Every structure is written in C-alpha cells, then in structure tokens.
Amino acid sequence: MSYKIYEINEEFLDVMPQEIKDLQFRATWGNPKRGVMDLPYSKELIEEHSLCAGCPESMALRYILASLPNPEDTIIVNSTGCTSLVFPHIALHTVHSLFGNQNAVASGIKRVLEWRFPDKVKDVVVLAGDGATVDIGLDCTLQSFFRQEKITTICFDNEVYANTGGQESGLTVKGHVFKMAPKGKQWDKVPFWQIAIDSGCHYVARLTVSSPKKVETVIKKAIYVAREVGPTYVHLYTPCILEIGLNSDDGLDEMRQRDKERFAFFEYMTPQAQEVIERKKEEGLL
Amino acid sequence: MATLGPSAFSPYPVAVYESVLNPPPGKALLINEIVDEEIAMREAAKAMLTRPNPTIFPGPQVLYAWNEEAKEKAKLVRKMAEVLNAKIIPMYDYRPKYPKINPAVEINPNHPNLTIWHNKIKACIFVGVHCHYANVALKIIRAETDCFTIAMCGMAGHEDAMITLRDQHVEEMEKFIKIAEEVKRELGK
Ligand SMILES: Cc1ncc(C[n+]2csc(CCOP(=O)(O)OP(=O)(O)O)c2C)c(N)n1
Ligand code: SF4
Ligand SMILES: [Mg+2]
C-alpha cells in the first residue's frame, strides 16, 4: 500500500470531513521516527473506539498505532475479543481472522507479501487477547514461532475472556474469581513470555502499558527484529477494569501497581536481535 | 423515517430474487431490462435532473489520487455534479463509524439509508465505490428507501441499482456528461 491512498483529489477537498483531511495533512505517514510524542499534535490512526470508557486496551492501541515505524505498509491481524471492536476504526489494513487462527493467517500474509513485493518492507503484526493467543490459538501461535515466521505477536493480556463476559483464561492468576469462574482459578498463570523464548522468539518483552514511551520502544524493537530475524513477542498487561471491578479512571493505577510485581518490565533478545537493535539505535530509529 | 421502496423497484432487497442479473458487456440495466447504454444514460440523467435532491456518492476509487485515472475521474465527477445540479456526498471509506455518522455530509455503506432519509435524496449515482460495499449499500437502499439508484461501475455492474452502467471509465463518463447536457437542454433545466 502507498500512503498516496490518503491523498484526496483536490476536486473533493471541500466535501471531505475534517478527520479524513487530517489523515492526509496531519498524520505521520512515511516517517519511521514517529512515536507517542506525536500524539497530542498529529492525527491518530485510530478514530473513536468502542471499548469501555477508560479501558487500558484503548491506551495500548493508541500507543502501538502511534509507534508503528511503517504504518502505510503494516498489516495488522487480529482476533475476536474486546480488541477486535477497535479495528474497524483504524485507518490501516487490518484482517479479522477466525478466533485463534491469527498467527496462521499472519504467517500466510507475510509470506505472500514477501513474494509479491520483494523490494518493499511490509510489517505484519498480530494483535490479540490472552484467550486468543494463549488458549484457543495456542497451537497457531506456537507453530508460527517454531516456523520462525517473521511476524510480531502482541498479546493484550487482561487475564480474562473479557468480551464473552468473564471466563478464566490460561493467563488468569491462580485464585482469581470471575463471573464465570466462581470457584476461583485452580492453576497458575501461564508464563507465556518464557514459552515464547523457549519456542524460538528472538525478541520478547513483558510490560504494562503505564508508560507510553516504553511501549513505543518495545514495539519498535519487536517490529525491526521481526523484519530481519524472526518471530518476536510482546506481552502487555491491559487490565479489564470492568471484570475486576475498577472505575474508568483506575486503569493506570492498576497497571502501575502491577509494574512492581507480576508485570515488572522484562526483556529478552537473542544475539541476532541485539545486533539489529544496536544498528537501529545508531540509525536514530530507536 | 423509513419509506419502503416502491414495488416497481423491488419488494425484495435483492434483485436476483426476481431474476434480475447484470447486463452483458456493452449493455446496461434499466430496472429489470437489458438496454443499450445510451438509453440507460438518458434515463439516468433524466432521473437525476427531475427527482428531488439528486446526489452523487463518490467512493474511494475516485476520491483519492491513487492513480492517473482516479485524478481524471475526479474532474469528471465534479463536472457531472455541475451538469446534473447534484450535491456530492462522499463515501470516503467503509469503516463503521461510532458513535454515529453525520448524514448531512457523509454516507457509510453500513447504513446508507440514514444519509438518504436525512437529505430526502430521491436519485443518486454511485461511482468509485468498491464492488462489495456498493453491493451492500445498494441492497439496503433498495429495501429501505424510495431513492432511484444509478451505479456507474468500472466493472460488471450492480443488479440492485435501478440503472447499471458497466465498464465505465473516463471515455464513458465523458459520454454520459454529454448525454446529460443534452437531456438537460431538452428538459429546459
Ligand atoms: C472460534 C471461536 N470460538 C469462540 C468464540 C467466542 N469468543 C469471542 S471473544 C472470546 C474471548 C476473547 O478473549 P480474549 O482473547 O482474552 O480477548 P478479550 O476480550 O479479553 O480482550 C471468545 C471465546 C469465537 N468468537 N470464535
Ligand atoms: S470488557 Fe474489559 S477489556 Fe473489554 S472493553 Fe471493557 S474494560 Fe476493556
Ligand atoms: Mg482477555
């Protein structure tokens, strides 16, 4: 895709709504240095969202979309869940795959794009919930790591199946009670960041989305490494304030608390990934 | 509120239920009849020039300057609007819009009837809208409104429009504008 598709024919400038003109004149296309610091000044690639007010998933999406180094040539593959409610409002190519299949779909898209556009950089990013990534889609997620697919997988871990009303997932913490897990979870939270490392990911990070800048850096590293080396995985804590009974303005505090414990910042990279990251730093892109 | 489509158009939202199919290459579709392109173009111009609040709905393929043909077509759509005394309301993308669209200035394929009802549009032209979204929108309009729809399509056409002009590119659009100018003169508009 070319960001030319947002260039409005001048004959129609007078009839186009402002937010669409903004996508041409105020969005940060074609600039790999774009990032969260642009948020207050530029047009975001997400319009309204339909998540609960204050849902940290919406923050995560804003930061991620502001940080993609190559949005005009990025394809996002997502899965069913709360996150998927946002994708229709995003001004990028997104593919809604069948629940759980996201990493298989993304693998196919990445391979076809490499074949079809050998001279272009096309980033494929998977974005899905914990239920989709670690439970129902576990097979597809892991197989894409084993096959060393050059895609970035981002898991929005809210520790619950939120969209279907509160069932426990593999990433729910032991003992947590949800509407449809009344006895509390019997087993431990799956340490998926570790499984991602053991399954061949070259860059892995675990964090909350309390710090926009940190999210930006991690996303850029993950995408640059996936481009050149192989699969990368980012595990984000985006608490479901609705299911854990918090108010709309409590999300940030909840994440800051978890920053100090089970979501303390953690980063892993292989030597090949490190080489890419160092080079990108020298180029001023990180 | 909703005005149901007169049964002359179709009591069903889907024209193929009544065996209405797209025209073969070189021909056009007028309600449920295969006719010569010129006849359909005259009828389309007449509908636009005589029905209240005629409107052109340009889609992404002509709104954005993504290739040379699109730039040419943009000029022609503007010219067409001038000749037909029509308003232009863009269908600039296909995302469902929340909390709601502003039907005075935009049309969305997921609920095109809102724009048609709001502006009391009784004749419209779809141009540059991608096939599947034109299909969806035209079905909804057929079922939910009494608007006379005209599909100016670069491909095989849309049987759900009251008039389908197929394989419409720069040359055909110029021809339509010429015919519209003639019809306008004949009608003394
Ligand atoms: C194949 C399939 N199985 C099950 C569902 C039902 N379903 C919809 S959303 C969802 C849970 C999503 O949980 P998660 O991936 O954690 O995302 P969240 O809503 O928490 O962001 C499920 C099981 C579905 N849509 N498709
Ligand atoms: S249910 Fe939870 S995860 Fe879903 S939008 Fe609401 S707060 Fe966010
Ligand atoms: Mg979840």
Side-chain angles (χ1 to χ4, degrees):
Chain A
M1 168 183 138
S2 147
Y3 49 92
K4 280 230 161 85
I5 69 154
Y6 288 110
E7 215 175 286
I8 301 165
N9 274 314
E10 58 185 48
E11 287 79 8
F12 296 120
L13 277 173
D14 61 333
V15 294
M16 288 292 241
Q18 191 57 44
E19 69 267 22
I20 300 299
K21 286 190 269 189
D22 285 348
L23 277 176
Q24 177 177 353
F25 299 112
R26 292 187 48 241
T28 47
W29 304 112
N31 170 18
K33 292 191 178 171
R34 61 197 296 278
V36 292
M37 300 307 270
D38 301 326
L39 278 172
Y41 311 107
S42 65
K43 170 69 181 163
E44 292 186 47
L45 302 184
I46 175 171
E47 204 61 57
E48 296 93 346
H49 71 76
S50 43
L51 301 175
C52 298
C55 172
E57 283 193 353
S58 67
M59 301 180 205
L61 276 160
R62 291 181 71 190
Y63 305 157
I64 292 169
L65 288 170
S67 308
L68 297 173
N70 187 26
E72 55 277 9
D73 281 302
T74 299
I75 290 167
I76 297 184
V77 183
N78 81 287
S79 198
T80 319
C82 286
T83 49
S84 60
L85 301 178
V86 182
F87 288 94
H89 314 287
I90 287 176
L92 292 186
H93 285 301
T94 68
V95 177
H96 182 98
S97 69
L98 179 69
F99 192 70
N101 283 4
Q102 58 280 353
N103 279 54
V105 172
S107 305
I109 291 174
K110 178 69 190 181
R111 290 182 187 198
V112 168
L113 289 174
E114 277 192 338
W115 174 79
R116 174 74 179 76
F117 301 100
D119 307 326
K120 271 202 146 182
V121 175
K122 299 268 184 185
D123 297 320
V124 177
V125 177
V126 175
L127 224 155
D130 48 316
T133 308
V134 180
D135 288 347
I136 300 178
L138 181 65
D139 180 5
C140 294
T141 311
L142 289 184
Q143 293 289 350
S144 76
F145 297 166
F146 299 159
R147 289 193 310 266
Q148 293 287 292
E149 303 288 351
K150 290 180 167 174
I151 55 179
T152 297
T153 304
I154 304 172
C155 174
F156 277 28
D157 180 8
N158 54 10
E159 306 191 314
V160 65
Y161 287 72
N163 198 230
T164 37
Q167 297 81 14
E168 70 177 43
S169 84
L171 292 187
T172 300
V173 173
K174 190 172 180 178
H176 261 200
V177 172
F178 284 117
K179 287 206 285 289
M180 281 173 260
K183 282 166 57 184
K185 191 180 176 202
Q186 310 284 304
W187 301 280
D188 283 329
K189 180 179 176 77
V190 175
F192 200 67
W193 45 90
Q194 187 56 49
I195 294 177
I197 294 171
D198 297 342
S199 308
C201 283
H202 289 268
Y203 176 82
V204 174
R206 178 196 64 200
L207 64 163
T208 76
V209 297
S210 64
S211 159
K213 195 68 196 161
K214 212 176 243 171
V215 175
E216 173 185 330
T217 313
V218 160
I219 295 299
K220 285 182 172 167
K221 285 180 183 172
I223 288 178
Y224 286 136
V225 171
R227 248 185 221 175
E228 296 189 34
V229 187
T232 58
Y233 177 73
V234 177
H235 193 109
L236 297 176
Y237 180 49
T238 53
C240 173
I241 49 176
L242 184 87
E243 293 297 341
I244 58 177
L246 297 179
N247 290 326
S248 298
D249 52 358
D250 288 340
L252 190 56
D253 275 349
E254 163 66 18
M255 291 190 287
R256 283 187 176 144
Q257 277 180 46
R258 304 306 158 211
D259 277 336
K260 295 178 206 127
E261 23 151 301
R262 65 178 185 277
F263 285 99
F265 184 72
F266 165 81
E267 201 179 39
Y268 160 90
M269 62 190 82
T270 60
Q272 296 119 291
Q274 187 155 18
E275 193 275 317
V276 173
I277 289 169
E278 292 307 324
R279 177 157 34 85
K280 292 293 171 189
K281 276 185 187 159
E282 279 166 28
E283 291 169 16
L285 295 174
L286 277 173
Chain B
M1 271 312 291
T3 336
L4 287 179
S7 56
F9 295 163
S10 170
Y12 308 110
V14 183
V16 286
Y17 283 0
E18 301 186 321
S19 316
V20 179
L21 299 175
N22 277 326
K27 293 283 183 179
L29 185 66
L30 174 58
I31 313 278
N32 56 1
E33 241 182 290
I34 307 286
V35 297
D36 285 341
E37 188 180 74
E38 266 175 50
I39 294 176
M41 282 185 172
R42 286 189 73 82
E43 289 303 317
K46 212 185 283 174
M48 290 293 281
L49 285 161
T50 54
R51 290 170 176 263
N53 304 315
T55 304
I56 299 177
F57 298 130
Q61 297 187 88
V62 295
L63 287 171
Y64 301 102
W66 61 290
N67 65 18
E68 290 310 311
E69 190 183 356
K71 291 182 199 171
E72 275 297 296
K73 284 183 169 176
K75 293 193 182 77
L76 293 171
V77 169
R78 202 79 225 197
K79 181 88 199 290
M80 210 183 284
E82 196 189 303
V83 174
L84 297 171
N85 305 322
K87 205 171 160 177
I88 295 178
I89 296 185
M91 186 182 279
Y92 48 82
D93 68 21
Y94 308 130
R95 294 178 284 173
K97 199 168 174 187
Y98 290 91
K100 61 176 184 173
I101 64 152
N102 176 357
V105 298
E106 59 193 332
I107 177 164
N108 188 284
N110 306 290
H111 30 61
N113 46 328
L114 300 181
T115 300
I116 301 224
W117 294 340
H118 179 89
N119 300 291
K120 302 188 172 49
I121 296 168
K122 304 295 179 190
C124 71
I125 296 177
F126 272 65
V127 57
V129 178
H130 290 86
C131 304
H132 47 309
Y133 285 103
N135 273 338
V136 169
L138 286 163
K139 280 180 176 56
I140 295 172
I141 297 173
R142 186 178 189 105
E144 300 277 339
T145 81
D146 58 358
C147 179
F148 191 97
T149 50
I150 298 153
M152 188 162 276
C153 173
M155 311 263 273
H158 296 278
E159 71 281 352
D160 289 303
M162 275 98 230
I163 289 181
T164 280
L165 300 169
R166 59 170 292 169
D167 300 311
Q168 299 294 296
H169 299 285
V170 170
E171 203 179 303
E172 291 77 12
M173 286 168 82
E174 282 169 345
K175 176 174 157 191
F176 176 64
I177 291 171
K178 237 179 174 168
I179 289 178
E181 282 168 340
E182 273 168 38
V183 174
K184 192 177 181 180
R185 243 176 285 133
E186 285 164 23
L187 291 170
K189 293 266 175 179

